[in-house]
């Protein structure tokens, strides 16, 4: 089967490739199985040295990686370059700190010596998304490699060149044959790969529907799984928020990456006392986002990744307006573009509207007005999602108290929700599995709670 890749900025087909057949898949599965024992026997120092060389390759090929991201899913040039740099930093972080994470834990028992030792499990199968096509891959690859695991990647169908470049970077960095490979396959083939006994675990970043399917498949095989699914993060503005900083953060959090970020702020829950002023400033700043060629310096709003995604987002906007939401800016596809949608702000959003109940995976913000802090918390938690959230207030003690009661994997105080290689990442509810972690901070700037929740104060 031939797959055509369309540049979302131009609508032109820029690349064609063939899906793999059964023989190619089998060859890569067996190569991974064969490579695992030798890779697991490598010392942490050897694996770390290779990961550092991969980081160097990422920086050497950052322009190639940027162009692939921009042409395949429309990412702004500056955002794409920053993504590559983040991946390189993550590789170096795990190369430096894996020994601490993986060191045996001594336990005092009646035995002469008792300890917990961490061992690699084998081949990890990764199903990754298009919105951060380099970062999402290295976020799992770097720790998996350092732990001694091997990996196979099924990337999103619209970013095959990104997948192939990642493979080239890893090989050029000195990764042995079979330790990592790419599978250009469809969803049915992916299900077959997951059922293969040589695959020991699966990690997915994707939709709820994909998560249910893959988690069910993995559960049926009693295989370990990690799921990061959708999100509808609350951005809570309390009555004492610094509106200059809050509005600037709101625009960045909602419209960077053309709004196509799982942990982007999507529901702007604003206390009535500041709602009019916040909304006025927010609309003004959103309207300044300039749509254009994602390779051009002056462009501040990229196209969406695909035309069908743009059309689905517009249906959500129309459905919300039909039920009483008001469009304050934007709200119509950009004429003459393949997948352009403007920065859009909806006001008077409430329950029963798509903008309230569903994830808006594009440059549309939903403003939800509430009377006070108590109602803000209730609305923030009134969602089936639980990935991230933030609260904005001049009082950091008040903010942390509020954040502790937010039902999400990562709660931020006066800061945009971000992923960080140094901290656990995961969601609750329908946003995926929240892993158990605990950590002590070096200062009072952050805290990681049991349950994987992290609260960060700025």
């Amino acid at each position: 089967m031939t797959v055509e890749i369309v540049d979302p900025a131009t609508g032109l087909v820029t690349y064609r490739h063939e899906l793999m057949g059964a023989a190619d898949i089998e060859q890569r599965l067996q190569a991974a199985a064969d490579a695992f024992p030798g890779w697991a026997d490598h010392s942490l120092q050897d694996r770390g040295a290779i990961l550092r060389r991969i980081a160097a390759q990422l920086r050497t090929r950052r322009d190639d990686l940027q162009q692939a991201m921009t042409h395949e899913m429309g990412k702004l040039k500056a955002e794409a370059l920053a993504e590559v740099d983040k991946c390189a930093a993550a590789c170096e972080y795990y190369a430096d700190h894996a020994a601490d994470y993986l060191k045996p834990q001594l336990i005092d028992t009646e035995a002469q010596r008792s300890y917990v030792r961490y061992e690699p499990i084998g081949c990890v199968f990764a199903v990754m998304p298009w919105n951060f096509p380099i970062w999402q891959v290295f976020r799992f690859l770097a720790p998996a490699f350092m732990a001694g695991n091997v990996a196979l990647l099924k990337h999103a169908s619209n970013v095959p060149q990104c997948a192939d470049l990642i493979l080239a970077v890893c090989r050029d960095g000195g990764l042995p044959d079979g330790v990592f490979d790419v599978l250009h396959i469809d969803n049915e083939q992916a299900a077959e790969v997951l059922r293969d006994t040589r695959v020991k675990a699966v990690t997915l970043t994707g939709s709820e529907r994909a998560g249910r399917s893959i988690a069910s498949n993995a559960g049926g095989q009693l295989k370990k799984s990690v799921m990061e699914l959708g999100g509808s993060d609350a951005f809570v503005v309390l009555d004492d928020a610094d509106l200059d900083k809050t509005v600037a953060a709101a625009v960045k959090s909602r419209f960077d990456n053309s709004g196509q970020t799982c942990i982007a702020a999507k529901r702007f829950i604003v206390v009535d006392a500041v709602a009019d002023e916040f909304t006025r400033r927010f609309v003004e700043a959103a309207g300044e986002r300039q749509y254009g060629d994602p390779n051009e310096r002056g462009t501040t709003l990229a196209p969406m990744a695909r035309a069908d995604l743009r059309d689905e987002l517009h249906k959500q906007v129309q459905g919300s307006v039909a039920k009483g939401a008001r469009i304050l800016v934007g709200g119509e596809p950009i004429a003459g573009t393949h997948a352009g949608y403007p920065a859009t702000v909806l006001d008077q959003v409430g329950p029963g509207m798509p903008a309230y109940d569903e994830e808006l995976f594009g440059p549309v913000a939903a403003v939800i007005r509430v009377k006070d802090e108590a109602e803000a918390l209730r609305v923030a938690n009134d969602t089936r999602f639980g990935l991230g959230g933030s609260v904005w207030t001049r009082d950091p003690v008040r903010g942390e108290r509020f954040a502790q009661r937010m039902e999400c994997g990562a709660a931020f105080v006066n800061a945009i929700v971000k992923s960080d290689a140094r901290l656990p990442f995961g969601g609750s509810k329908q946003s995926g599995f929240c892993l158990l972690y605990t950590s002590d901070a070096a200062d009072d700037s952050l805290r990681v709670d049991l349950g994987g929740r992290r609260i960060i104060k700025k």
Side-chain angles (χ1 to χ4, degrees):
M1 177 181 174
T2 301
V3 178
E4 292 185 339
I5 307 305
V6 175
D7 186 324
T10 64
L12 299 176
V13 175
T14 58
Y15 188 71
R16 293 179 176 86
H17 74 102
E18 299 293 324
L19 292 182
M20 290 178 174
D24 286 332
I25 297 170
E26 168 61 25
Q27 184 273 323
R28 285 161 175 78
L29 278 165
Q30 189 56 47
D34 292 342
F36 171 59
W39 182 242
D41 283 343
H42 273 62
S43 68
L44 277 171
Q45 291 75 17
D46 288 345
R47 294 199 292 263
I50 291 173
L51 206 55
R52 291 186 186 91
R53 290 201 294 271
I54 290 172
Q57 284 294 317
L58 282 165
R59 294 190 175 99
T60 297
R61 305 192 65 170
R62 68 196 295 265
D63 290 338
D64 295 337
L65 290 159
Q66 176 265 309
Q67 284 294 315
M69 283 187 272
T70 298
H71 288 304
E72 290 191 323
M73 57 78 52
K75 193 180 292 283
L76 291 179
K77 180 177 180 179
E79 293 178 347
L81 292 173
E83 182 171 335
V84 178
D85 294 340
K86 185 176 182 179
C87 293
C91 288
E92 291 167 341
Y93 175 79
Y94 284 108
D96 291 341
H97 295 279
D100 291 332
Y101 287 135
L102 297 173
K103 67 183 178 183
Q105 294 184 2
L106 294 175
I107 299 174
D108 186 17
T109 72
E110 69 278 4
Q112 206 171 45
R113 188 180 182 210
S114 299
Y115 60 94
V116 176
R117 176 179 167 88
Y118 296 97
E119 296 286 349
I121 60 174
C123 180
V124 179
F125 180 44
V127 181
M128 292 289 107
W130 48 261
N131 60 331
F132 288 90
I134 310 298
W135 167 245
Q136 291 289 165
V137 176
F138 276 97
R139 191 173 73 178
F140 101 86
L141 272 187
F145 285 163
M146 286 305 298
N149 296 302
V150 300
L152 291 171
L153 168 67
K154 179 210 176 298
H155 218 326
S157 61
N158 59 327
V159 288
Q161 293 181 82
C162 289
D164 289 340
L165 280 170
I166 291 169
L167 179 59
V169 162
C170 289
R171 287 179 173 171
D172 291 347
L175 201 67
D177 290 345
V179 174
F180 172 61
D181 216 329
V182 170
L183 302 178
H184 292 296
I185 57 178
D186 61 23
N187 292 337
E188 291 184 5
Q189 291 172 307
E192 294 175 4
V193 169
L194 180 52
R195 286 191 289 268
D196 193 285
T197 57
R198 289 165 291 190
V199 170
K200 305 303 181 184
V202 61
T203 177
L204 165 77
T205 298
S207 67
E208 290 176 84
R209 184 173 69 175
R212 290 191 184 97
S213 175
I214 291 180
S216 176
N217 195 345
Q221 307 296 317
L222 297 179
K223 294 183 180 181
K224 297 180 183 296
S225 61
V226 174
M227 302 285 135
E228 186 215 321
L229 309 179
S232 188
D233 287 11
F235 185 106
V236 178
V237 184
L238 299 181
D239 52 11
D240 63 342
D242 180 333
L243 290 187
D244 289 338
K245 295 179 179 178
T246 302
V247 170
V251 173
K252 180 176 179 59
S253 183
R254 175 66 289 212
F255 301 117
D256 277 8
N257 208 40
S258 199
Q260 301 167 126
T261 305
C262 298
I263 52 174
K266 300 182 175 81
R267 296 176 300 132
F268 294 82
I269 300 164
V270 191
V271 171
D272 280 337
V274 294
D276 285 345
E277 181 64 12
F278 169 84
T279 303
R280 182 188 67 78
R281 296 193 196 187
F282 187 37
V283 168
E284 181 179 349
E288 293 173 354
R289 285 273 165 151
Q290 182 64 46
Y291 178 85
D293 182 344
N295 271 304
E296 293 297 325
R297 184 186 299 272
T299 299
T300 53
L301 184 69
M304 292 185 63
R306 301 196 312 260
D308 63 304
L309 299 172
R310 187 268 313 272
D311 295 343
E312 178 59 32
L313 180 70
H314 187 51
K315 287 180 182 177
Q316 292 175 297
V317 170
Q318 291 178 311
S320 299
V321 170
K323 293 188 175 184
R326 294 177 54 229
I327 297 174
L328 300 184
V329 66
E332 290 290 340
I334 299 174
T337 68
H338 177 71
Y341 205 83
T344 298
V345 178
L346 300 178
D347 196 7
Q348 305 297 335
V349 172
M353 300 178 187
Y356 186 98
D357 298 326
E358 301 173 7
E359 180 178 25
L360 299 175
F361 209 67
V364 177
V367 175
I368 304 168
R369 296 169 182 250
V370 295
K371 64 180 180 180
D372 55 23
E373 180 178 335
E375 187 179 3
L377 181 64
R378 181 188 65 78
V379 172
N381 292 335
D382 185 25
T383 173
R384 68 181 187 274
F385 298 106
L387 194 54
S390 63
V391 58
W392 299 80
T393 171
R394 293 179 189 270
D395 182 347
V397 174
R398 181 189 188 191
E400 185 169 358
R401 183 174 63 243
F402 189 100
Q404 288 174 341
R405 293 177 289 167
M406 296 179 80
E407 297 170 355
C408 56
F412 283 61
V413 180
N414 295 331
I416 294 171
V417 179
K418 295 180 179 179
S419 60
D420 188 317
R422 297 167 296 179
L423 293 170
F425 186 85
S428 58
K429 301 182 181 178
Q430 297 300 302
S431 290
F433 302 151
C434 196
L435 304 179
L436 289 174
Y437 285 88
T438 184
S439 175
D440 293 321
D443 54 39
D444 192 39
S445 64
L446 63 90
R447 195 186 77 208
V448 182
D449 293 326
L450 281 174
R453 296 189 68 232
R454 53 186 175 143
I455 297 173
I456 295 182
K457 297 191 297 182
K458 295 288 186 180

